[in-house]
Amino acid sequence: MGKGWEHGRGALARLAGWCLAACLLAAPAVAGGDPPATLRMGGDAHYPPYQFIDAEGRADGFDVALARALARDMGMEPRFELGEWDVALERLERGEIDIVPMFWSAEREQRFQFTQPIMLRHHALFGRRGTPTLQSLDELANARVAVQHAGLAWEALRTQAGPGVVLVEQEAESDALLAVTRGEADYALVPTGIGYYAISQQRLHDVIALSPPLLERKYVFATRLGRNDDLVARIDASLERMRADGVQNDLYVEWIGNLARRDRAPWAAILAGLAAVLALAAVAIAWRRRRRPAVVAASSDPELLADLEAAIESGRLDFAFQPKVDLRSGRWLGAELLVRWNHPEHGPIAPEDFVPMAEQAGVIGAMSVHLVRCGLAQRRRWPATEPPLHVSVNVSANDLADPRLVDAIIEACPGADAGLMLEVTETDVMREPGRVADALPRLRAHGIRISVDDFGAGHSSLVNVRHLAPDELKIDRSFVTNLLASHSDQAIVTAIIGLAHELGATVAAEGIEDPATRQWLADAGCDAGQGFGIARPMTADEFATLLNVGQAGSGAG
C-alpha cells in the first residue's frame, strides 16, 4: 500500500485517539484510593508488530495483546490510546494514561516508574548496501543518522555517538529506514525487529543491517513516577503468573515469531512455513544419517566402549578448533572445539560414530566437561581482545538437565567472564525443559553463553528456542551449502536471521565454502560464520598462530 494511504490512516487513528482522550479527561475521576477499573495503555500508533492501529482502526500488536492479558488477569478493563510517541510520554507523565511499553534507560528512569522486564531487545544500524559497517555507536563520525524523535536511539546518540553526527529526526521508527532510501540519512538506528519488518513491508531490498545488535535494553511497562506503586506491584505479579503459565511465551511466538498472523507482515508467510520446512529438512537429514554406514559398530562393541571411557578419564581424547569470524569486520570471534578420537588400533573414528556411543553409555557428560576444560585451558593462551574471544563446546540440551554436569561446567570456568559458549544440539526433543530452564540463569551468571546449534535440523526447533532463549542461533549447514542457487534456502536463511535478531540473539552460519556465500550472508545480516571457505579445522597451536596474525580478510561492505 502507498505511503500516503498509511499516513492518512495514521492521521485518522491519531484523531480518534485524541477524541477518546478528551472524553476521558472530561469523565469524573474514580473516587478514593482503589485501583482504577480500567487499565489505560498509551503508545505509538506506528510501531508494528508491537503496537499499531490496524486497517479497521483498532489497536493491535504484541504489546496490546500482552496488556489485554494483564488487564484480564488483574480483573481490569483494558483501553488503548495509541497516537504519537512523544505525546504518549507526555500524557503518561500527566497521569492521563496508566502504562506505556518502552525501553528502559537511565534518562527515562528519572521520569517514569518501571515494571520488571518483559524481555530484552536490541537496536541496529541499517543502511544501503556498500555503506561502511560499524561495530559500535562510537565509530559513527560525521554521519547522518535517522532516528525516531524522543526514542531510545535519539537519547543514546546524543551521548554515545562519535563527532559530527547529525540526527535526522522522524515521527516513526519505520520512517527512519525510508529516510535512508531517500538519501536523507546515511544510517537508521532502529530496533532490530522494526528494521527487518520495515525492510520487508516496504520492500527496501537495498537496505541491510550494518552493525551487530546494539543498545541491549530491558523492555518494560512504564507508569507515572511516584503515583503507581500498587499498580507496578500488581503488574509484576501478573507478569510472573503469565510467564509461569506460558501465556507471555505464546503471545511472543504469535506476534514476534509471526507464526500465526500471516496478514501482519509480508515475511510472516515465510516464518509461518518455516516450521514445516524445518521439519521436512529434519526428516531428510535424519534419513541421510540413518543410511550412512557406520565405520564401526560402536554401540555393540563393549571393548570399544571401554576404550572410549578410558580415553575420557585419562584425557586422551583429542580436539581441533574450527575458527569463527565476524562476517562484517573480518575479526576473529573465537572457535568451536571439535572432539577427535584417534584409536590406537582402529585409527581415527568419526565423531558421529563415537559420540552417540558415549550418549548411550551415559559418559557424554564426562566427555563434555573434559572438552570444556581443554577449551578453556587453550583460551588462556589466546591474545586479549575487545570484545574477548570465546570458545564454543557442543553439549546436548538434555545434559543441561543434569545439575551435576552443570556444576562441573561452572567449576571449570575461571570467573564471571568465562569466554565459554555452549552450543546446544537441538535435534532431539528436550525431555526435561524445566530443569534446563533452571540451569540457564546459573550458567549465564558465570558469563557462559548459549547457542542453538544446527538450527533447522530438529523437528522441535522453535519449541527449544523458546525454552533456551539463546544468545546465538547457528544456521544448519544444509541451508548454506546451496544457498546461492536455492531461492527457498535463501528465504529460510533470511527468516532465521530476522527471527534471531528479534529474539535479541546473534546468528551464525555453518558450512561457508566460498567468498560469494560469505558475502551473501553478510549482506543478509548474518553476524558470524565458519566453514572451509573461512578456515578449516586446525590444531590448538595452529589456531593460536592464526589469532596472532590478525583478521580473516576484509568484512562485508
Side-chain angles (χ1 to χ4, degrees), residues 542-554:
E542 289 171 336
F543 183 61
T545 301
L546 185 70
L547 290 176
N548 289 321
V549 170
Q551 291 187 322
S554 61

Side-chain angles (χ1 to χ4, degrees), residues 200-287:
S200 180
Q201 186 182 52
Q202 303 291 339
R203 301 184 183 278
L204 309 178
H205 302 303
D206 195 40
V207 177
I208 60 173
L210 294 170
S211 76
L214 305 170
L215 298 178
E216 179 175 287
R217 292 290 189 278
K218 295 176 287 187
Y219 195 60
V220 297
F221 284 113
T223 68
R224 187 181 181 187
L225 188 63
R227 294 288 299 275
N228 294 288
D229 291 343
D230 179 62
L231 179 59
V232 169
R234 294 178 67 196
I235 291 176
D236 284 346
S238 183
L239 286 172
E240 290 286 354
R241 287 191 292 270
M242 289 196 292
R243 285 196 187 97
D245 295 341
V247 173
Q248 185 172 338
N249 277 339
D250 291 343
L251 290 174
Y252 187 93
V253 171
E254 178 183 2
W255 280 101
I256 312 306
N258 285 283
L259 297 176
R261 299 199 173 229
R262 300 185 181 205
D263 56 327
R264 303 303 182 195
W267 51 271
I270 297 174
L271 286 172
L274 182 56
V277 173
L278 296 182
L280 291 174
V283 171
I285 292 168
W287 177 250

